[in-house]
Amino acid sequence: MKVLSFYSTTVGKKLVMAITGLILAVFVLGHMAGNLQIYQGPEKLNHYAELLRVSMPLLWTVRIVLLLSVLLHIVAAVQVTLQNWRSRPKKYAVSAYQEADIASRTMIWGGLVVAAFVVYHLLHLTLGTAHGSFKPGDVYHNVVAGFQVPLVSLFYIVANVLLALHLYHGMWSWFQTLGFSHPKYNRARRVFATVYAVVIAVGNISIPVSVLAGWVK
Amino acid sequence: MKLTLHIWRQKGPQEPGRFVKYELDKVNEHMSFLEMLDVLNQELIARGEEPVAFDHDCREGICGACSMVINGIAHGPQRATTTCQLHMRHFKDGDVIYIEPWRAKAFPIVKDLIVDRSAFDRIIAAGGFISVRTGSAPEANSIPVPKDVAELAMDAAECIGCGACVAACPNGAAMLFVAAKVSHLNLLPQGQPERFIRVKAMVEAMEREQFGSCSNHRECEAACPKGISVSFIARMNRDYRKALWKTVEHQGGKAEGISQFRG
Ligand code: HEM
Ligand code: SF4
Ligand code: FES
């Protein structure tokens, strides 16, 4: 009951968003790092993919944690955003933002595109139902053949740019939401978030770009 | 100097409002923004028109009454300055100025530029009491307070309850105000006994008033005439989080009494 009354306020909802956002962000970093093994050739990448499936209980634990995180994050995001719109029903005639940036103001839109992308991504490279020549187990082939379709690559690139924007604000913002703020490290928070966002975007986007450029085939 | 003003005119809470254009000559750069509006109002009265209603009281930057959004910025373009302390030298001849009331669901418009900020009073009331002995003043040094803690508490206590933070926030959130009010008590030894009940009660009261949530845009800090830092919001988030396990729910008699004060 206490937890419910806690979640009833936006402060509680934002706390849930910060924790689930962090879990997702850590996953995204690990996922990106793992994918970079594509540059070490088919054996290495396919072996890594097999490794992930060695322990089914572990795989499913991770999947369930991620699924719960995504759901909680999205539900809270929608609730909080709707409340924000209700709380400010009328815009000013002149809008003059002083600190809010494009990243902080587009969290819901970037987030929703990323959500749609994640669904597509699972159908494309995990289940293969949205893939023209899916071979179960041959991750390397699936990735390369998938990205040779320019429109598919474009969607991956756009989604990752939006994800980077989301992380640029989010990885700075969660400190504040969880109550971590100190003059000693507040400046470093901005650097941390920027580096985090750029590393993930560059790492992920390099793959479709390399495939399209013919460097990886 | 000569100015073109577009001022939000609204007869009452339920009436539709609109911008009305006024041309004003002979604005002196030494006037405050409110004095400029006084001059306009004198002209309107002389013409037999209804003067522009706006809130003001101290006119020295300490009461927080003078709420208006000037060209999209709460209290106008000068940082850490209330409207009454804003001088016309920050504008130039020929400027076009839009003047609007605070816009937030929780601050309904009363008339023209005046909004009802009693939501803030209800949040303060929900904060309840602090347990101090009343009667004869205690010995000044009986409760030691470290110097930097006292300074930080004073920084938070500078909040004048003007509502510029709410007006500036794209979400109409009151986090900066509530954080300042929570923090100045929660930092001090005298505020400790009710620390976690207070933060919970005030955040819940804020919720009831339909303020928005904090996206960490930091527009509030930029608009605050007292330069209250968003680090107080982090502090409030922390105390609210800790309140989850630091508050105990009593059963029976006395607990009823406490929950009354929780608002
Ligand atoms: C890989 C996926 C995602 C990651 C890594 C991620 C990460 C984060 C992080 C770290 C935050 C900061 C939380 C805070 O301010 O304390 C955040 C905020 C936010 N996220 Fe996500 N997120 C993801 C997906 C999504 C999705 C699918 C949505 C769609 C609804 C979404 C909507 C939002 C919104 C609206 C906020 C800002 C809330 C606010 O400050 O008002 N996110 N995200
Ligand atoms: S925090 Fe600043 S802007 Fe908000 S009410 Fe207090 S003084 Fe005004
Ligand atoms: S009139 Fe008192 S602060 Fe401006």
Side-chain angles (χ1 to χ4, degrees):
Chain A
M1 280 310 99
K2 222 167 156 184
V3 174
L4 284 186
S5 90
F6 184 79
Y7 186 80
S8 75
T9 71
T10 54
V11 179
K13 291 189 184 72
K14 275 302 305 266
L15 209 103
V16 168
M17 293 194 63
I19 293 168
T20 53
L22 261 184
I23 293 172
L24 295 174
V26 169
F27 166 76
V28 165
L29 183 67
H31 188 48
M32 186 275 297
N35 292 345
L36 290 182
Q37 293 177 51
I38 193 166
Y39 296 117
Q40 292 172 302
E43 295 78 36
K44 188 83 188 182
L45 187 71
N46 289 349
H47 179 67
Y48 162 69
E50 255 170 57
L51 218 70
L52 292 179
R53 281 167 173 66
V54 166
S55 159
M56 277 297 138
L58 186 68
L59 181 68
W60 276 102
T61 310
V62 173
R63 281 178 172 170
I64 287 168
V65 168
L66 288 176
L67 190 68
L68 273 179
S69 298
V70 169
L71 290 179
L72 286 172
H73 193 83
I74 293 180
V75 169
V78 170
Q79 286 180 315
V80 153
T81 305
L82 290 178
Q83 165 144 2
N84 294 345
W85 291 345
R86 278 197 297 270
S87 301
R88 172 55 91 64
K90 189 148 171 53
K91 300 269 170 285
Y92 291 108
V94 182
S95 75
Y97 293 108
Q98 303 192 77
E99 292 292 336
D101 53 27
I102 180 83
S104 74
R105 277 161 36 217
T106 54
M107 291 301 275
I108 188 68
W109 306 118
L112 287 173
V113 175
V114 169
F117 166 75
V118 168
V119 172
Y120 170 74
H121 177 52
L122 290 174
L123 295 177
H124 185 228
L125 288 178
T126 304
L127 298 172
T129 41
H131 195 292
S133 61
F134 192 78
K135 291 188 197 154
D138 192 351
V139 176
Y140 188 89
H141 161 83
N142 294 339
V143 171
V144 173
F147 286 165
Q148 273 162 354
V149 183
L151 219 58
V152 171
S153 280
L154 184 71
F155 188 31
Y156 272 83
I157 293 170
V158 169
N160 271 284
V161 169
L162 293 176
L163 176 63
L165 208 62
H166 200 84
L167 290 171
Y168 173 80
H169 183 66
M171 292 310 273
W172 173 87
S173 175
W174 70 265
F175 286 96
Q176 183 78 4
T177 307
L178 291 187
F180 301 118
S181 167
H182 198 283
K184 264 190 209 154
Y185 57 74
N186 276 351
R187 286 163 67 91
R189 282 164 54 193
R190 182 76 280 161
V191 179
F192 168 75
T194 311
V195 170
Y196 205 99
V198 169
V199 164
I200 285 180
V202 169
N204 278 339
I205 292 174
S206 76
I207 299 173
V209 167
S210 300
V211 170
L212 283 181
W215 300 323
V216 169
K217 44 185 179 247
Chain B
M1 64 175 110
K2 196 170 170 329
L3 296 174
T4 304
L5 306 173
H6 295 267
I7 303 179
W8 185 262
R9 303 302 308 264
Q10 184 170 336
K11 287 210 170 71
Q14 308 306 331
E15 312 283 328
R18 66 192 175 97
F19 281 100
V20 178
K21 186 173 165 185
Y22 300 98
E23 306 280 354
L24 196 58
D25 306 332
K26 297 200 254 359
V27 175
N28 186 304
E29 60 171 13
H30 301 302
M31 287 175 179
S32 74
F33 202 86
L34 298 189
E35 285 163 344
M36 181 274 291
L37 289 178
D38 291 337
V39 170
L40 172 71
N41 276 346
Q42 288 308 316
E43 282 188 15
L44 292 182
I45 292 166
R47 294 209 299 256
E49 291 176 34
E50 178 87 5
V52 178
F54 61 89
D55 249 334
H56 63 109
D57 188 16
C58 70
R59 297 209 176 196
E60 56 181 13
I62 55 168
C63 76
C66 50
S67 54
M68 58 192 78
V69 169
I70 302 166
N71 280 342
I73 303 179
H75 290 300
Q78 184 78 349
R79 284 240 171 164
T81 307
T82 54
T83 310
C84 57
Q85 295 289 292
L86 174 69
H87 285 87
M88 296 313 294
R89 58 178 162 272
H90 298 295
F91 297 86
K92 54 183 195 308
D93 190 43
D95 271 359
V96 178
I97 305 174
Y98 280 83
I99 309 172
E100 298 174 72
W102 286 173
R103 295 213 188 272
K105 180 93 198 289
F107 288 165
I109 294 177
V110 177
K111 187 178 181 183
D112 295 343
L113 303 176
I114 299 179
V115 298
D116 177 357
R117 283 171 280 188
S118 55
F120 271 10
D121 301 336
R122 291 186 290 273
I123 294 173
I124 295 289
F129 54 83
I130 60 165
S131 300
V132 287
R133 201 172 69 102
T134 53
S136 61
E139 155 61 27
N141 292 325
S142 58
I143 306 175
V145 181
K147 169 85 170 135
D148 49 355
V149 172
E151 291 289 350
L152 203 56
M154 287 306 288
D155 286 348
E158 266 197 82
C159 168
I160 54 177
C162 64
C165 42
V166 176
C169 177
N171 305 342
M175 293 287 280
L176 194 63
F177 165 78
V178 181
K181 296 303 176 196
V182 163
S183 298
H184 83 261
L185 293 173
N186 282 12
L187 277 161
L188 295 174
Q190 291 89 339
Q192 294 314 302
E194 294 80 20
R195 177 173 178 177
F196 296 105
I197 296 177
R198 177 165 46 244
V199 67
K200 198 163 175 294
M202 290 179 82
V203 168
E204 284 167 2
M206 172 174 84
E207 198 72 28
R208 281 196 297 277
E209 299 296 340
Q210 307 220 344
F211 287 103
S213 84
C214 186
S215 297
N216 297 322
H217 289 301
R218 295 181 349 279
E219 287 293 316
C220 52
E221 182 183 85
C224 176
K226 299 296 152 186
I228 308 277
S229 162
V230 292
S231 63
F232 289 115
I233 296 181
R235 199 171 275 285
M236 175 170 75
N237 286 338
R238 186 157 72 218
D239 276 357
Y240 184 77
R241 161 163 62 78
K242 286 187 186 164
L244 185 57
W245 55 85
K246 295 252 170 139
T247 50
V248 269
E249 270 162 25
H250 300 274
Q251 307 291 328
K254 291 216 167 119
E256 303 284 322
I258 291 174
S259 61
Q260 267 178 22
F261 284 99
R262 288 188 191 176

